[in-house]
Amino acid sequence: MFSRQSLLAVLAASAAIMGGVEAFAPPARSMSIARTSSLSVSFPTELEDATAEGEPVDVILEGSDLDGEEEAVEDPTPARFLSAQRIAELRVTHRRHETDTGSPEYQVAGMTERISHLTAHLKEHPKDFSTRRGLVALVNKRRRLLNYLYSEDETRYVEIVGALGIRHKVPGAIPSKEDKYGRFPAQKNTKGKSKMKK
């Protein structure tokens, strides 16, 4: 709310008006106020001797002492905002023309960044099952778009997969059930035969 210098100036002015520093002195019993700080302050030995004797000690800090404190400043930018910026950048780089919003490249670029954002979220929150369900749906939708793009234009498919670093099996590389199990003999149909008499 207020800067440290303005608070110090107000305290100094009110001390001068109220008759000196005694107005802000602690009561007769000594009160110890603990303050955690990253600033290391070394007090002179006379001050330690005075506190050991039980006398109240007044310590006045200057504004320059407070300016040396370094506070840990967290990045206030939320991850969702950064993800939205990266989505916009990827969409701009992979669109076909200025007004493109529906091409498979444009959609796949946006989905890939959303997938990476949701994956990072799920690493922090592994029990968020609704997000996991949305992530699986998004991966499947991207897979279907890539399959479509492969069937339409293989060069654009190779470019988008290479640029975004997507692991995707082309539709022809996925063996059908007959290709996968055709070399094995067919199983005998045993359903309902146990009830039949010979």
Side-chain angles (χ1 to χ4, degrees):
M1 290 178 39
F2 298 106
S3 69
R4 291 183 181 157
Q5 285 129 358
S6 62
L7 287 175
L8 287 175
V10 168
L11 284 174
S14 58
I17 292 171
M18 297 180 79
V21 182
E22 293 80 25
F24 295 105
R29 61 185 175 96
S30 65
M31 293 174 43
S32 63
I33 299 173
R35 181 173 182 216
T36 58
S37 172
S38 61
L39 179 67
S40 61
V41 179
S42 60
F43 294 104
T45 56
E46 300 168 6
L47 194 59
E48 292 173 0
D49 295 338
T51 54
E53 296 172 4
E55 298 175 9
V57 176
D58 295 329
V59 177
I60 298 177
L61 297 175
E62 296 179 5
S64 61
D65 294 337
L66 295 176
D67 290 339
E69 277 187 50
E70 293 181 11
E71 295 179 6
V73 178
E74 294 182 15
D75 188 18
T77 310
R80 180 67 183 138
F81 178 73
L82 295 174
S83 176
Q85 285 182 332
R86 286 191 299 261
I87 288 172
E89 292 170 6
L90 283 174
R91 285 178 173 169
V92 166
T93 57
H94 293 288
R95 64 185 177 191
R96 293 185 191 171
H97 50 82
E98 291 297 319
T99 59
D100 182 20
T101 58
S103 68
E105 296 95 337
Y106 180 89
Q107 293 182 48
V108 166
M111 284 181 194
T112 301
E113 178 54 38
R114 284 181 62 200
I115 287 170
S116 65
H117 173 72
L118 290 176
T119 305
H121 171 79
L122 282 172
K123 286 180 183 176
E124 293 178 23
H125 309 283
K127 294 188 178 184
D128 190 356
F129 297 110
S130 57
T131 300
R132 185 175 307 275
R133 182 174 183 255
L135 174 65
V136 169
L138 201 59
V139 169
N140 287 331
K141 188 173 186 180
R142 182 181 72 176
R143 180 184 47 80
R144 288 192 306 267
L145 277 170
L146 287 172
N147 288 346
Y148 169 76
L149 186 61
Y150 180 79
S151 67
E152 292 297 313
D153 189 1
E154 289 184 31
T155 57
R156 288 188 305 171
Y157 165 81
V158 170
E159 288 173 4
I160 193 80
V161 168
L164 297 174
I166 300 172
R167 296 183 311 244
H168 181 256
K169 293 182 181 179
V170 294
I174 301 171
S176 67
K177 190 174 182 180
E178 291 179 8
D179 293 339
K180 193 172 187 180
Y181 302 110
R183 63 178 189 235
F184 300 110
Q187 290 210 344
K188 298 175 185 174
N189 189 3
T190 59
K191 292 185 179 181
K193 291 194 175 192
S194 62
K195 296 180 182 178
M196 297 175 71
K197 296 182 182 178
K198 286 188 175 182

